[in-house]
Structures are given as structure tokens and as C-alpha cells.
Amino acid sequence: MARAAAAAAKQPPSRASSTPPPPTHHSKQKTKASKPKDYTSEGVDDNDVFLLPVSDYKVTLAVTIVAALVRLYRIYQPTSVVFDEVHFGGFASKYIKGRFFMDVHPPLAKLLITLFGWLAGFNGDFDFKEIGKDYLEPGVPYVAMRLFPALCGIFLAPTMFLTLKAAGCRTSTAILGAGLIIFENGLLTQARLILLDSPLMITTAFTALAFTCFTNQQELGPTKAFQPSWWFWLVMTGLGLGATVSIKWVGLFTIAWVGLLTLVQLWVMLGDYKHVTIRAFSKHFMARVFCLIVIPLTFYMAMFGIHFLCLSNPGDGDGFMSSEFQSTLNSKGMQDVPADVLMGSRVTIRHVNTQGGYLHSHPLMYPTGSKQQQITLYPHKDENNIWLLENQTQPLDIHGEPINGTNAWFNLPEPPYIQDGSVLRLYHQPTHRRLHSHDVRPPITEADWQNEVSAYGYEGFDGDANDFFRVEIVKKKSRSGISQERLRTIDTKFRLVHLMTGCVLFSHKVKLPDWASEQQEVTCARGGTLPNSLWYIESNEHPQLGDSADKVNYANPGFFGKFWELQKVMWKTNAGLVESHAWDSRPPSWPILRRGINFWGKDHRQIYLMGNPIIWWSATAAVALYILFKGLAVLRWQRSFNDYANPIFKRFDYEIGTSVLGWALHYFPFFLMQRQLFLHHYFPALYFAIIALCQVFDFATARVAGFGLKENPIVNRVSALSFLVLSMVVFGLFSPLAYGNAWTKADCNRVKLFSTWDFDCNTFLDSYDAYSSLPAVPAAQTPQQSISSQPPPPVEFPVAGQPAQVPIGNVPVPPPAQDGNPAISGAPLAAGQRIVSREERVEYRDQNGNILNEEQVKALEGKVEFKTRYETRTRVVDANGNEVLVPEGGLPAQDAASVAPPHPDVQGITNLTSRHVGVDQETPKRLVPDEPIPSAEKSVEGEKEREGKLAKPASEGNDATAKE
């Protein structure tokens, strides 16, 4: 304005008058009029995506077609179960069968995957139990199930295009953004498998598109408020938020992004007191509450409503839930039982804190300690759970003589109620032994404050004083009223205090070894925590409690009770995934693409999740550039520079700042998490970083004046095309790792720039022609079992006249064929060669994956805990030091799982306590507090316990959870 005034002052005065020329005054008025007087933002145009030119819609269609070609190319490959398809495919089977399961993620994406499979004819019979299990022979419509994530990946590209257009970018910039999505290797890999990340990405992107469009309408001022377009995009934002959080709880970060920007909008309007009345502000506030809170919450809860409707039958996940929850499942409901518990009642006793484990005994003895009969916590209904409650002394008849036998309390004139403080004995009817404790350490928890609990005695034996337990009713945990005074079924929560030692009956998250069928340990603890020492009675039978007796049953929790309980179980289980894993990584390594994830390997091919380095590094650089810009802008603002008077400067700060805020909110919260984290957790943040990259590019080449670029659109187009072509070239170099295509060692090593990119180039053959000579072998089934951590067997030296067989790790290498055909690496051993030794080396790595040398390891001994062996590589060499490679046919099926261990993120519960398969066989596991135990059918005399020793597949998560 000052410059305009100065220019006007230099103009010659009017001949007709000596008064000051009017242009100065007119220029001032025009400048003032150009500034909005309300909350309308400067430099904002109407970028409604419904008003784009036809050419942009044609570009959108072309982008979608290209994305489809890239995403759907050889989507049938591999033809066997890959990575977490074990879990999400298994969930689809359970949805179709209606069997309840528990997963740490909300149900929307799993429901849609199931829908695609069901529409293609999938009946749920295929169990997806093992990585490498063949799809073709049983006729599984796996391509249809992979199609849903693929469609999500396809539509991610046009969504990016429209988002950039809504943000005011040029079409060439929007094409660049869509192309970066299409040719991003990591997004491609996730979109081709039955996984949740691709659906998560499209809902996150849709939310970003909807909120960008709404923000554009909002910034156009009061004239656009409450118009149809304004309402439409606000409602779409709410639906997008609901869908995102209904797939993964990462959607909470998206909610935070929208919420913070919404608060900024409301704050700006609150300051416009001249044009926004309190009534108008209240309308804006309530509209956002309804659309951005009520709609997402309703959508989220509706998904769980469908989830409960589909899973109406008992399954391997119902043991995670409370007894009240389980009673709502078909065939799991319990008949009404007598409320009062009497001496002589036959009862089952359940532990409170482990959500349903029964006090249990069976005819198996402890191998150590007292070597008496085992007492455990067992998750299944079983005759071995039944206990008879006896008084500490036998009742007396009318002559004052004791009535002997276990039926002594059945015909007493007065009901022998069990009051608070009563002393009793628990008689195990199936084995005729009584619950017993003594000053002997338990077999596993050998702490001084823990005593062993056993079953002791025989039929007809009166027992001893170590059988006495005092009932201590915990009033604050029991139902109010009479349940706080005497023992009542379900309603009374109580402790059993051992009379002789003062310890209380206790159970916790410790599994006994195989000799106890991996059931949960029960001890008698002095000073044990209250939740772990609480018990209640579930079933109750007594001859004096007939049909007229007061009855009780579990209260029906209703939808809201089930919904809230499931949220708590999901949270606890998710928070418990804290141990390290073979392929985990920490947030600092994600923006620089330090490490990927090994998904699958077979037949000299590999699927390895990693991003396109050019795209990742450029996006990270754009974020860093904005952070530097913001820091400098704040410093200049503090020094009273008026940079924010420039609309372009202001728009650069706000628009790119919005995207960087989305990146930060989807990235930095992971620093606070102690759970296992993986590269794919960075994908939502990457999406916002790519938006920021494209916006920086658009401002630099098309919107900032002064460099001549804005006046030359060809610069924007050529630059966008050049960068896109470079990204495509890099995409092509790494594409065999995304598609699982044939690759050669040389090509692999050529692009393996860093040792932390730990895909194995030795997996691939030396030439592409060698792949055509591979025998056609049916897809092998890879068992999901732990690889032995025992030292490898010694090398067997060749005997005269016999070929040598040398083990590689746990895999024996077949000897050279008698006919001279190669058995190793496609070439026979040279004459005179023989294998004489095997070298093995243990690598120690820090939390960033850096290899530690011997001095570093020695210096750290005693200061840190080495608890993860990331990878074990065995190199077989001959007498001359030449390496003997893996057999040409690949590793046998039983060892193929070691190429890509199962991914624990979705296991939520599925692999929470079972050992992982693969290179990280030593990864320790820690049980989550309050982790529930699964339920199953009846077991008699230890039969079910012995069955529990059999290996469970990773997809049968809740069965696996019962084992450590």
C-alpha cells in the first residue's frame, strides 16, 4: 500500500486542478477493500472438486487405470499364504463360520475382506493356518480376498490427486502426487495381500480429502457456511474418521489431526466478533460436534454391532472375555443355579483376574517339590473342576456322633450356610484328594512368599490341618446385600486364606511346563495382589437346594457392556506387545527407510516390504525444509518482520503446516509406545509427507513469484515429469521385492545400498534363465512351529565311498547326485574338494540394528540385557574356504517359515504367547496382565491337557495364547 501511494505521488498533477491527484486515495481504498473484513482467508479460491474442469476428471480416470495396472499385476502371486494372511484370512473363516475370535484391531476391514471372499464362494473351510499353505488345491478364492486391499490401493492414487487439487495445486503437481503413490513400493506390497494397511490408507486419505475440501469451503467465508457443499464435506469427514478408526486405532491420530485444525477454525471465528455472533458460533460448534464426534462414534459402534451379529457362536477367542460376555454366545449360556452355597455343595470355582480360569486338578504329579498332585488353573469346563465344600469338622447326628462321608451335609435339619470367616476344606471328587498347601516352593515361581498348592490324600483319608482354608469375603468386590455376608454363587467375590501359613490362594500369568500341559500356575501367596487372589463360584449343586431355591445367573451385559468390555480387552492386549521381534524397527529409522520387513520367501523369490527410497527421502526432506522454514519465520516474526502480511507466505505456512501437522501426529506418538513397531506403521505419516512434498513443489514452481518460475508453467510440468520418471525407475529396480518376481543376485546386490536393508540377495539365482529350469513343485506347507534353539549338529565328515551330508542350520544339505548332477548351487564340487568344517558367527545388534563388535559387547555385559537374536546365518565352506550355497531346490518346507516370521502386530492375541517362527527364534514373550484364557470343550482325566501339548497354528490365536 505504501509503494502504491509513493508511485501515485510521482504522477504529474492534473491540468484542470491543482488539488492532489485522486489516484493515491483511490489506490488506498482499493487495497483496503481487497482485504476480507470477516474470517475469510486471503489468497483462497474455490477449489471444490465437483467443479473441476473436465480435463481433470479425465486425468483422474487415467491415474486410476495406471494404478490398477500396477496394483493388479500378478496379484495371484504367490499362490500360497503370505505373512499376515495367516491371521486376516483366518479371521474371514471365523466370520463365515460365526466363531467368536479376539483381535486387537476393530472389525471394519476384516468384515469387508470376508465379504469379498464370501461373494467369491469362500465357505470358511480353509483355515489359513500356515505360511506357505497352498491356495490352489483347496480352491480358495484368495485373489478375490486380495482384491479388496488392491482396490483400496488403486483408489489411493486418485484420492491423492483430488486432495492436491482441493489444496489449490496445479494439475501437473497433482499428477506428480498421484504418481508417487502409484510407484511407492511399500504401499504396493501392502495392497497386494490380505492385510489391513491398504484399507487403513484409503480411509485416511479419504478423510484428508474430505477435510481439505471442507477447509476450503470454510476459508471462503460466511457466504459458504452451512451451504450444501459445506455440509457435505463436513459429513464426509465424519464418516471418514469413523471408517479409519474402525480399521485400526491409528485412526485416533487422524481424529487428533482433524480435531486440532477444527479448534483453529473455531478460534479464528471466535475472534471475528463483528460478523460471527454467539448464536452463529454455537451453530458452527454444534455442527462440528455432530459431524466430527457423533457420526464417527456411531459408525464405530455400528461396526462392532455387525461384528457381534456375525460372531454368535463360541470360538477360540471367547476365553478372552468375561463369563457374562461368554454367556451371550450360542450354547455358552448357563442355566440358573442356586444362589446360596452350603457345606456339601458341589461347585466350580473361577479366578476373577484371569477372566475365567477354573480351579482344577488332574491325576498328574509335580515332578519337583512335594511331588503331590497338581493344582492348576484350567480355561475349559471339565469334570476335573468340581470341588466339594466340607466343613473343617464332620457334622454330628442326634446322638452327638460325627457323620462320616462326603454326603454328611446333605440331610441336615438346618442349611449349613458358609458365612464370611468360615473354615472349610475343598475335596476334589474325581481324584479323592483335598486342596492342600505347605511351606514348599512352587515348581516355577520359586519365591519365598509363594507356597506350593497341591491335592493331597486318598479316598477315606480324613486329611490334615494343611487342608484348612478360611473364606474371606471381599465386600467391595461383591454384590451389595446378603452376598457380602455369606457365600453366594456368582455374586460373592472371596479369598481363600490358608489357615496354617496365612497365605492366600493365588494365580497369575505364569504357565507351567509341558508336564502340566502348559496350564496356569496356582500358588499360595503371602502378600499377593488382591485381583490375583479373588475367586467366585460359578456352578453350585446341593440336594437341599431344589427348584424352589433362590436362583442366580450371569447378568446380560447388553450391547454397550459387550462393546466396552471388548475395547478394554483390545487395549490391554495391544499394550502387551512389548517384546522385540525379528523384523521390528523403531520410529527414528522410518523416515530414512533404514530397514524393511521380510514377508515371504520361496523358490528363490522373496517379498520384502520396503519403500521407494527416492519418494521416502524426498518426502522427509520436504518435512525438514518446512520445519526449518517455520523456525526461521518465527524468529523473523519475533524481530517484527512483517512476512505474514504477504498472502503467499501466509498460505505456504498454513497449507504445508497442515500437512506437516498430519505427518507429526501420525508419527511422533509412536515414540511413546513400548510395543512392537514396524515399518508399515509409518505409512499414514508418509502419505501426509508426500502431500507436503507436492505442496512445497507447487509453491516453488507455480505460486511463488520472483524467480520467473510462476510465469513459466513448463518448468512446473517438466520438473514434475522428471521427478516422476526418476521415481518410476527406482520403483522398477526394487519391484521384484514387491511382486515376488524372479531376480538375480547381481541385480539385487546392485540396489542394496545399505546393510540394514536386510533382504537376502543370496536367495535369488544367478540368472533369469535359471528360473525357467526350476522344477514345478506344488506349494509346500510351512508349519508354524518354533525352530529349535539348540546348537547345530556337528558336521559329518565324508566316509570313503559315501557322499557327505552337511547341515545348514537345521536343514540338511543333500549330497551331490550320483549321476553328477549338481545338488548345491547348480554345480558339483570340484575334484578333490571336501567339506571339512562349518563356521558360525553370532551378531549382536543395538536397538537401531547396528552390529556391535566384541569389545562393545564385552563393555555392555552386565549393563544391558541381550534378549533378541535378530538373525542367524550359517555359512558352509569347503577346505579352500569357498562358500557352499543353499540347495538349488530351496530350503525344505519345514524351514521355509524361517524366511518370514509371523508378524505380531495383528496377532494382537494370536501369537501373544506362542514362540515366533523364524530368524528371531529367541525373542522372549511376556504375558499381558489380565490376559484372558481361551475356552474349549470338555476334557476328561487329563486328555485335554495332553492334547494341549500339540503345536497350535499362529492363526488360532486364542489357543496359542494359552501357552507360553
Side-chain angles (χ1 to χ4, degrees), residues 502-530:
C503 60
V504 295
L505 196 66
F506 178 90
S507 186
H508 53 163
K509 290 301 177 181
V510 173
K511 301 296 183 183
L512 295 170
D514 290 343
W515 47 257
S517 302
E518 298 182 331
Q519 295 175 17
Q520 188 165 309
E521 183 183 52
V522 175
T523 66
C524 195
R526 293 185 296 272
T529 59
L530 178 64

Side-chain angles (χ1 to χ4, degrees), residues 467-485:
D467 299 340
F468 295 153
F469 289 84
R470 184 179 70 251
V471 175
E472 184 181 287
I473 294 177
V474 182
K475 293 180 172 55
K476 65 180 180 180
K477 297 292 184 180
S478 302
R479 188 174 181 179
S480 59
I482 197 172
S483 299
Q484 296 179 340
E485 300 174 3

Side-chain angles (χ1 to χ4, degrees), residues 446-646:
E446 297 180 355
D448 291 338
W449 56 278
Q450 296 269 29
N451 288 344
E452 179 191 83
V453 175
S454 63
Y456 175 67
Y458 51 86
E459 188 172 7
F461 178 63
D462 292 335
D464 60 27
N466 281 328
D467 299 340
F468 295 153
F469 289 84
R470 184 179 70 251
V471 175
E472 184 181 287
I473 294 177
V474 182
K475 293 180 172 55
K476 65 180 180 180
K477 297 292 184 180
S478 302
R479 188 174 181 179
S480 59
I482 197 172
S483 299
Q484 296 179 340
E485 300 174 3
R486 67 178 188 235
L487 210 56
R488 285 173 66 89
T489 308
I490 297 177
D491 295 336
T492 301
K493 305 301 185 292
F494 60 92
R495 303 202 302 170
L496 290 173
V497 182
H498 190 244
L499 211 58
M500 297 299 292
T501 62
C503 60
V504 295
L505 196 66
F506 178 90
S507 186
H508 53 163
K509 290 301 177 181
V510 173
K511 301 296 183 183
L512 295 170
D514 290 343
W515 47 257
S517 302
E518 298 182 331
Q519 295 175 17
Q520 188 165 309
E521 183 183 52
V522 175
T523 66
C524 195
R526 293 185 296 272
T529 59
L530 178 64
N532 285 336
S533 58
L534 276 183
W535 306 83
Y536 72 95
I537 291 175
E538 181 184 74
S539 65
N540 174 25
E541 295 180 5
H542 195 285
Q544 293 189 8
L545 300 174
D547 295 336
S548 60
D550 187 19
K551 301 293 181 67
V552 295
N553 206 330
Y554 289 115
N556 190 327
F559 168 75
F560 291 102
K562 294 172 63 177
F563 170 80
W564 184 242
E565 179 181 342
L566 184 54
Q567 304 309 301
K568 292 189 290 185
V569 172
M570 290 166 59
W571 178 269
K572 289 179 180 179
T573 308
N574 195 26
L577 296 170
V578 296
E579 304 297 347
S580 58
H581 182 267
W583 299 103
D584 64 6
S585 54
R586 302 310 299 175
S589 68
W590 297 342
I592 59 175
L593 195 60
R594 180 178 176 83
R595 190 184 191 214
I597 308 174
N598 202 0
F599 270 19
W600 176 89
K602 192 175 178 182
D603 299 332
H604 300 285
R605 302 168 190 259
Q606 190 173 3
I607 294 180
Y608 183 90
L609 177 70
M610 71 170 292
N612 186 319
I614 293 298
I615 297 174
W616 283 59
W617 295 338
S618 300
T620 301
V623 171
L625 178 64
Y626 172 79
I627 294 173
L628 292 175
F629 160 82
K630 187 65 177 179
L632 181 61
V634 170
L635 291 176
R636 288 175 59 84
W637 173 80
Q638 183 66 15
R639 296 294 298 172
S640 300
F641 285 91
N642 200 21
D643 296 328
Y644 284 93
N646 186 333

Side-chain angles (χ1 to χ4, degrees), residues 34 36 40-45 47 219-220 647-648 651 655 703:
S34 64
T40 302
S41 298
E42 288 186 86
V44 177
D45 298 324
N47 298 319
E219 290 188 309
L220 292 175
I648 298 297
R651 294 311 302 171
E655 292 179 14
R703 298 173 69 174

